[in-house]
PDB file of all heavy atoms in Angstrom:
ATOM      1  N   LEU I 199     -17.038  -3.694  46.831  1.00  0.00           N
ATOM      2  CA  LEU I 199     -17.649  -4.015  45.512  1.00  0.00           C
ATOM      3  C   LEU I 199     -18.933  -3.213  45.268  1.00  0.00           C
ATOM      4  O   LEU I 199     -19.553  -3.307  44.228  1.00  0.00           O
ATOM      5  CB  LEU I 199     -17.968  -5.496  45.471  1.00  0.00           C
ATOM      6  CG  LEU I 199     -16.679  -6.345  45.605  1.00  0.00           C
ATOM      7  CD1 LEU I 199     -17.122  -7.879  45.709  1.00  0.00           C
ATOM      8  CD2 LEU I 199     -15.769  -6.161  44.583  1.00  0.00           C
ATOM      9  N   GLY I 200     -19.335  -2.477  46.249  1.00  0.00           N
ATOM     10  CA  GLY I 200     -20.578  -1.706  46.185  1.00  0.00           C
ATOM     11  C   GLY I 200     -21.887  -2.460  46.176  1.00  0.00           C
ATOM     12  O   GLY I 200     -22.889  -1.930  45.769  1.00  0.00           O
ATOM     13  N   ILE I 201     -21.942  -3.650  46.742  1.00  0.00           N
ATOM     14  CA  ILE I 201     -23.099  -4.486  46.755  1.00  0.00           C
ATOM     15  C   ILE I 201     -24.221  -3.772  47.527  1.00  0.00           C
ATOM     16  O   ILE I 201     -25.357  -3.916  47.068  1.00  0.00           O
ATOM     17  CB  ILE I 201     -22.715  -5.848  47.391  1.00  0.00           C
ATOM     18  CG1 ILE I 201     -21.641  -6.652  46.619  1.00  0.00           C
ATOM     19  CG2 ILE I 201     -23.969  -6.777  47.410  1.00  0.00           C
ATOM     20  CD1 ILE I 201     -21.882  -6.844  45.190  1.00  0.00           C
ATOM     21  N   HIS I 202     -23.853  -3.148  48.556  1.00  0.00           N
ATOM     22  CA  HIS I 202     -24.944  -2.450  49.433  1.00  0.00           C
ATOM     23  C   HIS I 202     -25.625  -1.331  48.609  1.00  0.00           C
ATOM     24  O   HIS I 202     -26.700  -1.135  48.818  1.00  0.00           O
ATOM     25  CB  HIS I 202     -24.326  -1.966  50.703  1.00  0.00           C
ATOM     26  CG  HIS I 202     -23.223  -0.915  50.466  1.00  0.00           C
ATOM     27  ND1 HIS I 202     -21.973  -1.151  50.048  1.00  0.00           N
ATOM     28  CD2 HIS I 202     -23.220   0.385  50.785  1.00  0.00           C
ATOM     29  CE1 HIS I 202     -21.206  -0.083  49.993  1.00  0.00           C
ATOM     30  NE2 HIS I 202     -22.062   0.873  50.456  1.00  0.00           N
ATOM     31  N   LYS I 203     -24.950  -0.753  47.684  1.00  0.00           N
ATOM     32  CA  LYS I 203     -25.555   0.303  46.867  1.00  0.00           C
ATOM     33  C   LYS I 203     -26.490  -0.293  45.806  1.00  0.00           C
ATOM     34  O   LYS I 203     -27.631   0.236  45.612  1.00  0.00           O
ATOM     35  CB  LYS I 203     -24.443   1.074  46.053  1.00  0.00           C
ATOM     36  CG  LYS I 203     -23.507   1.852  46.983  1.00  0.00           C
ATOM     37  CD  LYS I 203     -24.096   2.988  47.594  1.00  0.00           C
ATOM     38  CE  LYS I 203     -23.131   3.878  48.340  1.00  0.00           C
ATOM     39  NZ  LYS I 203     -23.712   4.950  48.990  1.00  0.00           N
ATOM     40  N   PHE I 204     -26.181  -1.446  45.271  1.00  0.00           N
ATOM     41  CA  PHE I 204     -27.053  -2.192  44.350  1.00  0.00           C
ATOM     42  C   PHE I 204     -28.275  -2.622  45.174  1.00  0.00           C
ATOM     43  O   PHE I 204     -29.475  -2.658  44.635  1.00  0.00           O
ATOM     44  CB  PHE I 204     -26.395  -3.323  43.722  1.00  0.00           C
ATOM     45  CG  PHE I 204     -25.315  -2.949  42.748  1.00  0.00           C
ATOM     46  CD1 PHE I 204     -23.948  -3.185  43.017  1.00  0.00           C
ATOM     47  CD2 PHE I 204     -25.648  -2.316  41.558  1.00  0.00           C
ATOM     48  CE1 PHE I 204     -22.978  -2.838  42.072  1.00  0.00           C
ATOM     49  CE2 PHE I 204     -24.624  -1.953  40.658  1.00  0.00           C
ATOM     50  CZ  PHE I 204     -23.310  -2.272  41.022  1.00  0.00           C
ATOM     51  N   ILE I 205     -28.159  -3.140  46.414  1.00  0.00           N
ATOM     52  CA  ILE I 205     -29.249  -3.523  47.189  1.00  0.00           C
ATOM     53  C   ILE I 205     -30.329  -2.337  47.513  1.00  0.00           C
ATOM     54  O   ILE I 205     -31.477  -2.587  47.360  1.00  0.00           O
ATOM     55  CB  ILE I 205     -28.875  -4.034  48.475  1.00  0.00           C
ATOM     56  CG1 ILE I 205     -28.106  -5.388  48.308  1.00  0.00           C
ATOM     57  CG2 ILE I 205     -29.944  -4.304  49.611  1.00  0.00           C
ATOM     58  CD1 ILE I 205     -27.463  -6.010  49.548  1.00  0.00           C
ATOM     59  N   LEU I 206     -29.755  -1.192  47.658  1.00  0.00           N
ATOM     60  CA  LEU I 206     -30.649  -0.020  47.945  1.00  0.00           C
ATOM     61  C   LEU I 206     -31.122   0.638  46.626  1.00  0.00           C
ATOM     62  O   LEU I 206     -31.938   1.523  46.647  1.00  0.00           O
ATOM     63  CB  LEU I 206     -29.838   0.980  48.681  1.00  0.00           C
ATOM     64  CG  LEU I 206     -29.502   0.697  50.090  1.00  0.00           C
ATOM     65  CD1 LEU I 206     -28.547   1.779  50.710  1.00  0.00           C
ATOM     66  CD2 LEU I 206     -30.686   0.481  50.904  1.00  0.00           C
ATOM     67  N   GLY I 207     -30.795   0.104  45.535  1.00  0.00           N
ATOM     68  CA  GLY I 207     -31.211   0.583  44.180  1.00  0.00           C
ATOM     69  C   GLY I 207     -30.389   1.671  43.583  1.00  0.00           C
ATOM     70  O   GLY I 207     -30.823   2.466  42.702  1.00  0.00           O
ATOM     71  N   TYR I 208     -29.213   2.027  44.247  1.00  0.00           N
ATOM     72  CA  TYR I 208     -28.376   3.048  43.716  1.00  0.00           C
ATOM     73  C   TYR I 208     -27.242   2.478  42.704  1.00  0.00           C
ATOM     74  O   TYR I 208     -26.166   2.273  43.098  1.00  0.00           O
ATOM     75  CB  TYR I 208     -27.640   3.743  44.890  1.00  0.00           C
ATOM     76  CG  TYR I 208     -28.449   4.384  45.927  1.00  0.00           C
ATOM     77  CD1 TYR I 208     -28.354   4.179  47.225  1.00  0.00           C
ATOM     78  CD2 TYR I 208     -29.516   5.250  45.486  1.00  0.00           C
ATOM     79  CE1 TYR I 208     -29.138   4.716  48.157  1.00  0.00           C
ATOM     80  CE2 TYR I 208     -30.336   5.974  46.395  1.00  0.00           C
ATOM     81  CZ  TYR I 208     -30.083   5.667  47.730  1.00  0.00           C
ATOM     82  OH  TYR I 208     -30.933   6.327  48.645  1.00  0.00           O
ATOM     83  N   THR I 209     -27.809   2.194  41.532  1.00  0.00           N
ATOM     84  CA  THR I 209     -26.871   1.575  40.557  1.00  0.00           C
ATOM     85  C   THR I 209     -25.621   2.361  40.169  1.00  0.00           C
ATOM     86  O   THR I 209     -24.656   1.855  40.165  1.00  0.00           O
ATOM     87  CB  THR I 209     -27.762   1.186  39.317  1.00  0.00           C
ATOM     88  OG1 THR I 209     -28.905   0.487  39.682  1.00  0.00           O
ATOM     89  CG2 THR I 209     -26.911   0.391  38.224  1.00  0.00           C
ATOM     90  N   LYS I 210     -25.858   3.652  39.940  1.00  0.00           N
ATOM     91  CA  LYS I 210     -24.821   4.453  39.585  1.00  0.00           C
ATOM     92  C   LYS I 210     -23.715   4.573  40.613  1.00  0.00           C
ATOM     93  O   LYS I 210     -22.526   4.348  40.345  1.00  0.00           O
ATOM     94  CB  LYS I 210     -25.371   5.924  39.316  1.00  0.00           C
ATOM     95  CG  LYS I 210     -24.165   6.864  38.775  1.00  0.00           C
ATOM     96  CD  LYS I 210     -24.755   8.194  38.608  1.00  0.00           C
ATOM     97  CE  LYS I 210     -25.013   8.974  39.879  1.00  0.00           C
ATOM     98  NZ  LYS I 210     -25.351  10.357  39.733  1.00  0.00           N
ATOM     99  N   GLU I 211     -24.041   4.612  41.969  1.00  0.00           N
ATOM    100  CA  GLU I 211     -23.148   4.626  42.949  1.00  0.00           C
ATOM    101  C   GLU I 211     -22.408   3.317  43.142  1.00  0.00           C
ATOM    102  O   GLU I 211     -21.205   3.285  43.359  1.00  0.00           O
ATOM    103  CB  GLU I 211     -23.761   5.122  44.223  1.00  0.00           C
ATOM    104  CG  GLU I 211     -24.155   6.513  44.333  1.00  0.00           C
ATOM    105  CD  GLU I 211     -25.595   6.825  43.800  1.00  0.00           C
ATOM    106  OE1 GLU I 211     -26.149   5.906  43.197  1.00  0.00           O
ATOM    107  OE2 GLU I 211     -26.021   7.967  43.958  1.00  0.00           O
ATOM    108  N   GLY I 212     -23.086   2.259  42.962  1.00  0.00           N
ATOM    109  CA  GLY I 212     -22.609   0.862  43.053  1.00  0.00           C
ATOM    110  C   GLY I 212     -21.570   0.663  41.999  1.00  0.00           C
ATOM    111  O   GLY I 212     -20.511   0.103  42.175  1.00  0.00           O
ATOM    112  N   VAL I 213     -21.851   1.106  40.756  1.00  0.00           N
ATOM    113  CA  VAL I 213     -20.976   0.969  39.550  1.00  0.00           C
ATOM    114  C   VAL I 213     -19.653   1.766  39.890  1.00  0.00           C
ATOM    115  O   VAL I 213     -18.576   1.239  39.602  1.00  0.00           O
ATOM    116  CB  VAL I 213     -21.667   1.270  38.298  1.00  0.00           C
ATOM    117  CG1 VAL I 213     -20.651   1.386  37.216  1.00  0.00           C
ATOM    118  CG2 VAL I 213     -22.698   0.260  37.979  1.00  0.00           C
ATOM    119  N   ILE I 214     -19.845   2.917  40.326  1.00  0.00           N
ATOM    120  CA  ILE I 214     -18.642   3.710  40.718  1.00  0.00           C
ATOM    121  C   ILE I 214     -17.754   3.031  41.651  1.00  0.00           C
ATOM    122  O   ILE I 214     -16.512   2.975  41.455  1.00  0.00           O
ATOM    123  CB  ILE I 214     -19.169   5.119  41.288  1.00  0.00           C
ATOM    124  CG1 ILE I 214     -19.688   6.015  40.141  1.00  0.00           C
ATOM    125  CG2 ILE I 214     -17.883   5.896  41.780  1.00  0.00           C
ATOM    126  CD1 ILE I 214     -20.387   7.240  40.604  1.00  0.00           C
ATOM    127  N   MET I 215     -18.300   2.624  42.713  1.00  0.00           N
ATOM    128  CA  MET I 215     -17.471   1.876  43.717  1.00  0.00           C
ATOM    129  C   MET I 215     -16.787   0.567  43.173  1.00  0.00           C
ATOM    130  O   MET I 215     -15.681   0.302  43.372  1.00  0.00           O
ATOM    131  CB  MET I 215     -18.281   1.485  44.990  1.00  0.00           C
ATOM    132  CG  MET I 215     -18.742   2.692  45.797  1.00  0.00           C
ATOM    133  SD  MET I 215     -19.619   2.181  47.276  1.00  0.00           S
ATOM    134  CE  MET I 215     -18.239   1.728  48.380  1.00  0.00           C
ATOM    135  N   LEU I 216     -17.566  -0.116  42.377  1.00  0.00           N
ATOM    136  CA  LEU I 216     -17.059  -1.350  41.741  1.00  0.00           C
ATOM    137  C   LEU I 216     -15.925  -1.007  40.757  1.00  0.00           C
ATOM    138  O   LEU I 216     -14.883  -1.658  40.758  1.00  0.00           O
ATOM    139  CB  LEU I 216     -18.201  -2.150  41.052  1.00  0.00           C
ATOM    140  CG  LEU I 216     -17.900  -3.453  40.458  1.00  0.00           C
ATOM    141  CD1 LEU I 216     -17.285  -4.445  41.388  1.00  0.00           C
ATOM    142  CD2 LEU I 216     -19.031  -4.023  39.630  1.00  0.00           C
ATOM    143  N   LEU I 217     -16.158  -0.023  39.933  1.00  0.00           N
ATOM    144  CA  LEU I 217     -15.074   0.345  38.913  1.00  0.00           C
ATOM    145  C   LEU I 217     -13.852   0.889  39.606  1.00  0.00           C
ATOM    146  O   LEU I 217     -12.777   0.638  39.148  1.00  0.00           O
ATOM    147  CB  LEU I 217     -15.710   1.239  37.879  1.00  0.00           C
ATOM    148  CG  LEU I 217     -16.794   0.625  36.956  1.00  0.00           C
ATOM    149  CD1 LEU I 217     -17.314   1.807  36.094  1.00  0.00           C
ATOM    150  CD2 LEU I 217     -16.212  -0.503  36.255  1.00  0.00           C
ATOM    151  N   ILE I 218     -13.983   1.696  40.613  1.00  0.00           N
ATOM    152  CA  ILE I 218     -12.828   2.222  41.324  1.00  0.00           C
ATOM    153  C   ILE I 218     -12.087   0.982  41.859  1.00  0.00           C
ATOM    154  O   ILE I 218     -10.760   1.093  41.745  1.00  0.00           O
ATOM    155  CB  ILE I 218     -13.267   3.206  42.419  1.00  0.00           C
ATOM    156  CG1 ILE I 218     -13.617   4.560  41.813  1.00  0.00           C
ATOM    157  CG2 ILE I 218     -12.092   3.480  43.397  1.00  0.00           C
ATOM    158  CD1 ILE I 218     -14.281   5.451  42.784  1.00  0.00           C
TER     159      ILE I 218
END
Side-chain angles (χ1 to χ4, degrees):
L199 301 175
I201 303 299
H202 60 291
K203 297 291 188 182
F204 291 112
I205 289 172
L206 291 174
Y208 298 131
T209 306
K210 181 177 75 171
E211 290 86 350
V213 169
I214 289 170
M215 290 184 81
L216 181 62
L217 291 177
I218 287 173

